[in-house]
Amino acid sequence: MKRYPLAGTPATSAQHVDVSRLLAAYADLAPDMTQAAQRVAFGTSGHRGVSFDRSFNEQHVAAITQAIVAYRTQQGIDGPLFIGFDSHALSLPAFETALEVLAANGVTTQIATGDEFTPTPAVSLAILNHNRGRTTGLADGIVVTPSHNPPDSGGFKYNAANGGPADSGITKWIETEANRLIEGGLVGVRRMPIAQARTASTTQSFDYLSTYVNDLASVIDFDVIRGAGVKMGVDPLGGAGVHYWSRIQEQYRIDLDVVSTVVDPTFSFMTLDWDEKIRMDPSSSFAMQRLIAMKDRYDVAFACDTDHDRHGIVAPSVGLLPSNHYLAVAIDYLYRNRPDWRADAAVGKTLVSSSMIDRVAARLGRRLHEVPVGFKYFVDGLYTGSLAFGGEESAGASFARFDGGCWTTDKDGISLALLSGEMTARMGKDPGELYQDLTKDLGNPVSSRVDAPATPDQKKKLSKLSAAQVSSDQLAGERIEAVLDRAPGDNEAIGGIKVIVPSGWFAARPSGTEDIYKIYAESFQGEAHLKQLLAEAQVIVDTALG
């Protein structure tokens, strides 16, 4: 991936978003529905956009919320709706817009006590706890977040009654209905003033923070962390879990230092990401410079993104672990140290996650469940218990409770972060050292990703590319073993292709937000072979695209 000159350096005032202008744009600008980029569009994780670009504005949120109300009615979902929001500047106004619509429609809505920021996993857990054992009065939820994206971004996610991000069938229905409402001038959108909505009998207070923190002991062994005296540091990156960490430290009496509690909608404390944008990505070494600089102060340290559904682990031995490395270590550790997990519970990974995970799963004797990119593909497996772990290459994962029961069906950065403390305590090594141990037994892969320009038409072609369109039988000096256009785990279309050889692979898929396609590649033969993989992959893809 290209690195810009200022990557990893502190953000300057010129790069700070003008929050007052951003909020005014949210309220004042309306989308042009003849422009595809300004319509409601649910990607892998909800509708996202920027108010200045007319892609995330008040009309979008009002229409999406009304569409969710209609979907709930259609499906007979008549329990409470749990809603939370993160610390992006647009999240509070979007939350208030949604509440105005929900209250006007008579939907019982559970909002955080004191308007506390609410991590994505806390919303998922609340839905699951409410629905456990029920067949009627089921709950669902909304999370107002653009995840780790820049400060000018807004985002809106719908979580279904299974607690996880809604599947494509649901989001397509909501997207279509929301666009219909906007095109119709919002006729049919019911709404009341925010002051009235906040005092409506259907608007109820819910303590997400206590509910989540109290239940954490069902997934993390705090006794072993406390007993070993592991010294940990956490950087909330000004995100939704900013007040959760001190409660965790106090309640479980662990040595946890919260390195910053600053919340600033400009996120001016961040260092710039690879493209010189402010992005709260805990898996990026450029964005994580503050915590990396502190690595020698702690036995292990970690950070989470703005809605706390992603994790980043900093170990004294290596600094920031690549997310694939930590996923492999976490899987190896968990399946060896959770004796009450189901013997048939599989390991869930995305197609572009490291093949080191395949080797770890094989050594554990566990079935591998490989799915397309998107956490929604893990939801059913985590919910039913057929998966005890689901993780994606972008540092999002969740895993089962000690008893094998479902914890969350959305990504949980908090539990994955704390797990690094548990494994350091029990194993006497930090996660970086544990990954080095894995490489001694299973090989040491190298990986990379490149972005190539693509027109909208080429992106569409790539998303529908079939295995039959790849005519090559050789890749980087090895015979091609498989060409996939559907995921082996669930037979879902992957929106691109994956080509596998004995010592490596590449996958190509279009970006959902930019005019590029992405090529991921990994080799167990080293850097020279990886470069060959990437170069030949681009030729194969370009040839297939014509």
Side-chain angles (χ1 to χ4, degrees):
M1 188 181 298
K2 180 180 178 181
R3 175 183 177 172
Y4 287 65
L6 297 180
T9 64
T12 65
S13 57
Q15 290 155 318
H16 298 169
V17 66
D18 185 328
V19 174
S20 59
R21 280 188 61 238
L22 184 69
L23 299 182
Y26 171 79
D28 298 340
L29 299 184
D32 177 353
M33 298 300 283
T34 67
Q35 301 297 311
Q38 297 180 32
R39 295 173 67 85
V40 173
F42 277 76
T44 54
S45 192
H47 172 75
R48 293 179 184 171
V50 177
S51 296
F52 296 133
D53 300 336
R54 301 176 186 260
S55 53
F56 190 90
N57 303 87
E58 194 170 346
Q59 289 192 19
H60 294 105
V61 176
I64 295 169
T65 308
Q66 188 67 52
I68 289 171
V69 171
Y71 175 78
R72 299 179 98 240
T73 301
Q74 181 195 82
Q75 297 296 313
I77 300 172
D78 56 3
L81 184 142
F82 291 89
I83 186 169
F85 62 93
D86 75 5
S87 53
H88 275 81
L90 290 173
S91 293
L92 177 58
F95 158 77
E96 291 186 333
T97 300
L99 185 60
E100 290 171 356
V101 175
L102 293 168
N105 282 276
V107 176
T108 299
T109 306
Q110 303 282 354
I111 69 172
T113 304
D115 272 358
E116 178 66 61
F117 301 122
T118 307
T120 286
V123 174
S124 179
L125 182 67
I127 295 168
L128 290 167
N129 283 349
H130 176 87
N131 290 344
R132 191 168 289 113
R134 292 177 181 266
T135 55
T136 60
L138 295 176
D140 53 3
I142 291 170
V143 189
V144 186
T145 174
S147 188
H148 62 292
N149 283 348
D152 61 358
S153 301
F156 205 82
K157 296 196 309 181
Y158 176 61
N159 282 36
N162 57 18
D167 65 35
S168 300
I170 296 172
T171 57
K172 191 64 183 174
W173 192 95
I174 292 170
E175 175 186 305
T176 301
E177 175 64 7
N179 283 322
R180 184 191 70 79
L181 287 166
I182 297 173
E183 288 171 329
L186 299 183
V187 173
V189 175
R190 302 180 65 185
R191 197 166 167 185
M192 64 171 59
I194 187 58
Q196 189 179 344
R198 282 186 174 276
T199 57
S201 61
T202 52
T203 300
Q204 300 171 0
S205 179
F206 185 82
D207 190 351
Y208 289 95
L209 194 159
S210 295
T211 300
Y212 179 88
V213 173
N214 290 344
D215 216 358
L216 260 179
S218 69
V219 287
I220 297 296
D221 189 341
F222 288 104
D223 291 338
V224 74
I225 296 174
R226 187 169 52 251
V230 174
K231 184 172 181 58
M232 298 175 290
V234 59
D235 189 344
L237 300 181
V242 65
H243 300 135
Y244 280 56
W245 294 105
S246 58
R247 176 73 70 83
I248 292 167
Q249 185 274 324
E250 294 164 6
Q251 185 159 326
Y252 294 107
R253 306 188 315 281
I254 55 176
D255 190 350
L256 177 64
D257 180 19
V258 184
V259 303
S260 174
T261 57
V262 172
V263 175
D264 172 6
T266 69
F267 294 90
S268 57
F269 49 79
M270 293 296 300
T271 49
L272 299 173
D273 204 2
W274 65 273
D275 55 358
E276 297 181 355
K277 291 184 179 180
I278 297 174
R279 190 179 284 112
M280 290 63 71
D281 182 356
S283 65
S284 166
S285 60
F286 305 116
M288 284 277 280
Q289 285 296 302
R290 179 165 70 180
L291 195 59
I292 292 170
M294 301 179 186
K295 71 180 180 66
D296 294 326
R297 298 186 195 177
Y298 305 106
D299 297 315
V300 68
F302 33 81
C304 290
D305 69 336
T306 322
D307 68 318
H308 272 48
D309 70 344
R310 301 185 190 209
H311 59 272
I313 309 300
V314 175
S317 61
V318 297
L320 180 69
L321 266 78
S323 53
N324 274 311
H325 293 192
Y326 184 62
L327 291 180
V329 167
I331 290 164
D332 189 63
Y333 173 82
L334 283 165
Y335 283 85
R336 293 177 186 275
N337 290 279
R338 296 296 188 265
D340 293 330
W341 279 8
R342 280 171 41 178
D344 64 343
V347 176
K349 62 162 277 194
T350 55
L351 277 143
V352 295
S353 298
S354 175
S355 288
M356 178 65 93
I357 293 170
D358 306 42
R359 298 185 180 196
V360 168
R363 189 172 70 169
L364 291 166
R366 293 283 181 165
R367 180 174 61 85
L368 189 72
H369 184 73
E370 192 170 7
V371 302
V373 173
F375 202 80
K376 60 190 175 186
Y377 296 107
F378 297 128
V379 172
D380 287 343
L382 291 169
Y383 185 72
T384 62
S386 64
L387 292 177
F389 183 98
E392 56 183 3
E393 77 295 336
S394 54
S398 189
F399 56 91
R401 297 172 185 262
F402 283 112
D403 64 5
C406 178
W407 166 241
T408 64
T409 48
D410 211 331
K411 295 175 285 192
D412 185 357
I414 299 174
S415 64
L416 265 293
L418 290 166
L419 180 69
S420 69
E422 180 191 323
M423 68 173 68
T424 301
R426 178 165 278 119
M427 306 305 293
K429 296 180 179 181
D430 72 40
E433 294 169 318
L434 293 173
Y435 183 76
Q436 291 305 312
D437 289 345
L438 285 182
T439 65
K440 292 171 187 174
D441 297 332
L442 301 176
N444 190 10
V446 290
S447 61
S448 186
R449 192 189 97 192
V450 296
D451 298 341
T455 65
D457 183 57
Q458 288 172 325
K459 286 169 59 180
K460 188 175 181 180
K461 279 185 182 178
L462 178 56
S463 69
K464 296 180 178 179
L465 203 62
S466 72
Q469 289 173 263
V470 177
S471 57
S472 308
D473 61 2
Q474 296 282 319
L475 175 67
E478 296 184 290
R479 183 169 181 80
I480 291 175
E481 293 183 326
V483 181
L484 306 177
D485 54 29
R486 290 187 171 272
D490 56 8
N491 201 38
E492 292 280 350
I494 65 177
I497 57 168
K498 181 175 182 178
V499 180
I500 303 168
V501 294
S503 59
W505 56 270
F506 84 83
R509 56 187 297 271
S511 168
T513 56
E514 300 173 87
D515 286 334
I516 59 172
Y517 68 81
K518 303 175 183 181
I519 297 178
Y520 305 79
E522 181 176 61
S523 170
F524 279 82
Q525 285 191 30
E527 291 290 347
H529 187 245
L530 176 66
K531 288 180 181 178
Q532 191 178 356
L533 275 172
L534 286 166
E536 294 186 22
Q538 194 154 345
V539 172
I540 288 173
V541 173
D542 288 345
T543 300
L545 291 177

